[in-house]
């Protein structure tokens, strides 16, 4: 699930916070200069014409730090988060850089045009995007009503999907870090 944790190398950690406190935690991490990722979507009120951010995953934020820095954030600076624990190692869960990068890129995707189909794909096949804004993203293929999606998993329990032209997908061997479960 997660990668090996070394205390001197910065890693991505997944952390829980109270629902509704995500934006405050993000702002505090900004002030502290800690790299972080909070998936949000923009909402616009039609009456007041104001735009506001809404977290896509309630109560979850990702931050990049060494293990020592991550512990100091909660112990010394009282950041209101609890890190997810890897059940296999009983230590802080490390999110692999590639998985988080792919997850971020899929969430930021804008629709693009496609091309010709070159090889058959079955539901759940592991694929790599070879063209466009998501080039290099790896995940599983999903087809709904004739539209192809690349589905990217994070931590084996969070999934993001993006519409990708079929011609931009190539089948690959099962990469490391992917779980056997697949959302139906």
């Amino acid at each position: 699930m997660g990668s090996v944790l070394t205390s001197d190398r910065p890693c991505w950690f997944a952390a829980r916070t109270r629902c509704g406190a995500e934006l405050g935690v993000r702002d505090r991490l900004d002030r502290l200069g800690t790299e972080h990722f909070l998936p949000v979507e923009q909402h616009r009120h039609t009456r007041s014409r104001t735009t506001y951010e809404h977290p896509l995953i309630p109560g979850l934020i990702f931050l990049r730090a060494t293990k020592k820095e991550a512990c100091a954030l909660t112990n010394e600076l009282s950041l209101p988060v609890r890190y997810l624990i890897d059940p296999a190692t009983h230590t802080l869960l490390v999110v692999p850089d590639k998985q988080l990068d792919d997850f971020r890129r899929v969430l930021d995707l804008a629709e693009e045009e496609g091309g010709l189909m070159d090889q058959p794909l079955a539901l759940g096949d592991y694929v790599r995007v070879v063209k466009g804004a998501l080039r290099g993203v790896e995940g599983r293929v999903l087809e709904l009503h004739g539209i192809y999606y690349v589905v990217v998993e994070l931590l084996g329990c969070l999934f993001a999907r993006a519409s990708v032209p079929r011609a931009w997908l190539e089948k690959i061997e099962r990469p490391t870090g992917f779980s056997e479960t697949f959302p139906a």
Side-chain angles (χ1 to χ4, degrees):
M1 195 179 286
S3 62
V4 177
L5 177 62
T6 58
S7 59
D8 60 341
R9 185 178 62 89
C11 303
W12 283 105
F13 298 104
R16 286 256 174 228
T17 189
R18 282 184 305 109
C19 287
E22 303 92 341
L23 298 175
V25 170
R26 179 195 63 186
D27 294 344
R28 189 150 174 216
L29 289 169
D30 276 339
R31 287 192 302 274
L32 293 170
T34 303
E35 186 178 357
H36 60 277
F37 171 60
L38 175 65
V40 295
E41 61 184 346
Q42 302 291 324
H43 286 282
R44 185 179 170 125
H45 262 270
T46 53
R47 281 196 169 159
S48 63
R49 295 189 179 153
T50 57
T51 303
Y52 65 96
E53 293 178 318
H54 178 72
L56 287 173
I57 309 167
L60 189 65
I61 189 166
F62 302 92
L63 58 101
R64 185 173 179 82
T66 64
K67 182 179 179 184
K68 185 177 180 179
E69 292 168 341
C71 292
L73 285 171
T74 57
N75 296 335
E76 297 165 19
L77 300 175
S78 301
L79 190 69
V81 297
R82 292 180 324 275
Y83 296 105
L84 299 182
I85 302 297
D86 187 346
T89 62
H90 302 290
T91 186
L92 301 182
L93 179 72
V94 175
V95 180
D97 291 345
K98 173 77 171 142
Q99 279 188 11
L100 191 68
D101 183 51
D102 288 354
F103 193 75
R104 290 174 85 161
R105 290 176 62 198
V106 167
L107 290 177
D108 293 340
L109 177 71
E111 282 192 34
E112 299 187 25
E113 294 299 317
L116 300 173
M117 295 189 341
D118 55 355
Q119 68 185 45
L121 289 175
L123 176 69
D125 281 349
Y126 291 95
V127 294
R128 178 181 299 119
V129 180
V130 295
K131 216 173 161 187
L134 294 179
R135 180 188 323 223
V137 169
E138 296 174 359
R140 292 190 186 189
V141 69
L142 176 66
E143 181 189 5
L144 295 171
H145 308 292
I147 299 172
Y148 283 87
Y149 297 91
V150 63
V151 178
V152 176
E153 73 176 73
L154 187 64
L155 304 175
C157 63
L158 299 172
F159 299 89
R161 74 174 187 198
S163 172
V164 177
R166 166 59 193 91
W168 294 1
L169 300 175
E170 72 175 355
K171 188 174 180 176
I172 61 172
E173 294 298 315
R174 180 177 181 263
T176 59
F178 280 80
S179 68
E180 290 298 322
T181 60
F182 188 64

